[in-house]
Amino acid sequence: ASGASSFEIWAQPANLSQSGPARLLSVGADPSLQNFVLGQDGDAYQVRLLHTGKDAKARPRLITTDGASLALQHIVHTYDGAVERIYIDGVQRSETVALSGSYDNWDPTDLFNIGNEGGSQRPYYGDVFLVAVYDRALSDAEVAQNFSAGVGDTTSAPPP
């Protein structure tokens, strides 16, 4: 209802050869039509955010030229109703998509998924330690603060 959002995740990929992209987060039911996707494609991240300013396949998409690494990473995607931004480890990347739109075309039946797509066709191989979703675009300072706070103790995570 706010017309803005932030998706935040702490994750560590098992490899840099995942494609599709492999879904870290998804609000969708199948690999072709989703409300939102944050995925890993090799050493890059891809975001597909559907809104009324884009086509049915959420194009244009926000794609980093690189950025994924085998280290634990903090990734945040924000949309303020006009501009999409992506942050990696507290730093805003230069890649943005400036295109206004609302979420009026979202499918309300789509599922919220962590580590795959609703139909299980795009698995993410790695560990996900934290996921947060906000109904507003986090500011640069809030992203930096969340990165500095860290993910907490990852040594007590259950084995894969």
Side-chain angles (χ1 to χ4, degrees):
S2 70
S5 62
S6 294
F7 292 84
E8 177 179 31
I9 188 167
W10 280 92
Q12 184 170 10
N15 61 64
L16 297 179
S17 60
Q18 300 183 62
S19 63
R23 308 310 202 240
L24 284 92
L25 291 177
S26 168
V27 180
D30 64 61
S32 60
L33 297 173
Q34 312 90 13
N35 294 331
F36 177 81
V37 168
L38 170 58
Q40 179 191 335
D41 201 356
D43 69 348
Y45 290 112
Q46 183 180 129
V47 178
R48 300 175 184 180
L49 175 68
L50 180 66
H51 61 65
T52 57
K54 295 184 174 186
D55 72 12
K57 298 241 184 206
R59 291 179 289 220
R61 298 171 177 160
L62 178 57
I63 302 171
T64 64
T65 54
D66 58 15
S69 77
L70 294 177
L72 176 63
Q73 289 189 295
H74 180 240
I75 305 128
V76 179
H77 172 270
T78 65
Y79 179 63
D80 62 11
V83 179
E84 291 180 64
R85 295 174 176 86
I86 191 164
Y87 300 78
I88 300 173
D89 292 338
V91 178
Q92 181 184 332
R93 298 294 303 253
S94 62
E95 298 90 354
T96 61
V97 173
L99 195 61
S100 298
S102 72
Y103 296 146
D104 289 344
N105 57 346
W106 273 38
D107 183 344
T109 65
D110 277 356
L111 303 172
F112 185 85
N113 308 285
I114 299 172
N116 209 330
E117 191 60 66
S120 299
Q121 299 99 329
R122 298 288 190 267
Y124 169 75
Y125 296 100
D127 295 312
V128 175
F129 295 97
L130 180 139
V131 172
V133 181
Y134 305 85
D135 66 349
R136 61 187 178 81
L138 295 177
S139 68
D140 292 345
E142 290 171 314
V143 171
Q145 172 186 308
N146 291 359
F147 173 67
S148 293
V151 72
D153 180 11
T154 61
T155 59
S156 61

